[in-house]
């Protein structure tokens, strides 16, 4: 059995952290692939809706597109919530996993801001 020096303990802790990071990344890969697109679209739709509101023009098709994307985002959030229940707590609370949760929430809020009444 190897001697448990400070260096050995540090290396072992790093290996555990790398393993947790990999599990967290693997769990969020599908959402990470989509969230960037949704964030870009949210900015674009919000800008178009603001211009149309300011000009007094209708923006129903913009709101409809935001509504469809919002439904997709919410579906992805539900899938991620399901994964949380299946993952070890150390993985579910990992920063890489939580970053995607926050990004989805941000994209969701941005899409909601495009909808009428917001």
């Amino acid at each position: 059995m190897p001697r448990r020096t400070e260096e050995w303990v540090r290396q072992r802790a790093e290996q555990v952290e790398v393993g947790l990071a990999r599990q967290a990344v693997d769990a969020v890969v599908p959402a990470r692939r989509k969230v960037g697109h949704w964030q870009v679209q949210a900015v674009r739709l919000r800008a178009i809706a603001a211009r149309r509101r300011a000009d007094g023009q209708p923006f129903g098709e913009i709101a409809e597109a935001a509504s469809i994307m919002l439904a997709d985002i919410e579906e992805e959030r539900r899938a991620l919530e399901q994964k949380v229940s299946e993952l070890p707590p150390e993985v579910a609370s990992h920063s890489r996993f939580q970053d995607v949760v926050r990004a989805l929430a941000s994209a969701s809020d941005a899409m909601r801001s495009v909808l009428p009444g917001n």
Side-chain angles (χ1 to χ4, degrees):
M1 185 162 127
R3 285 186 50 216
R4 294 187 178 198
T5 63
E6 286 182 34
E7 178 65 16
W8 182 87
V9 171
R10 184 188 62 73
Q11 287 177 351
R12 179 69 181 128
E14 287 175 0
Q15 290 171 353
V16 169
E17 177 59 27
V18 167
L20 292 175
R22 273 196 194 116
Q23 284 182 300
V25 168
D26 289 347
V28 296
V29 164
R32 282 182 63 192
R33 289 186 177 141
K34 299 173 189 172
V35 75
H37 169 74
W38 288 328
Q39 288 172 324
V40 168
Q41 292 304 314
V43 169
R44 186 178 72 78
L45 293 174
R46 197 170 15 187
I48 293 169
R51 267 197 312 267
R52 290 198 177 173
R53 281 181 182 138
D55 293 342
Q57 297 176 342
F59 60 98
E61 69 279 0
I62 302 301
E64 183 179 341
S67 180
I68 290 168
M69 284 190 213
L70 179 59
D72 291 343
I73 293 167
E74 291 302 319
E75 183 178 324
E76 194 65 44
R77 283 179 73 180
R78 284 189 294 277
L80 211 51
E81 286 174 5
Q82 176 64 34
K83 283 184 185 178
V84 166
S85 67
E86 300 166 1
L87 293 171
E90 304 84 28
V91 175
S93 64
H94 195 278
S95 64
R96 291 186 182 222
F97 191 90
Q98 292 304 313
D99 287 346
V100 174
V101 170
R102 282 189 295 277
L104 284 171
S106 174
S108 179
D109 291 345
M111 288 298 177
R112 279 191 182 88
S113 73
V114 175
L115 300 177
N118 292 314

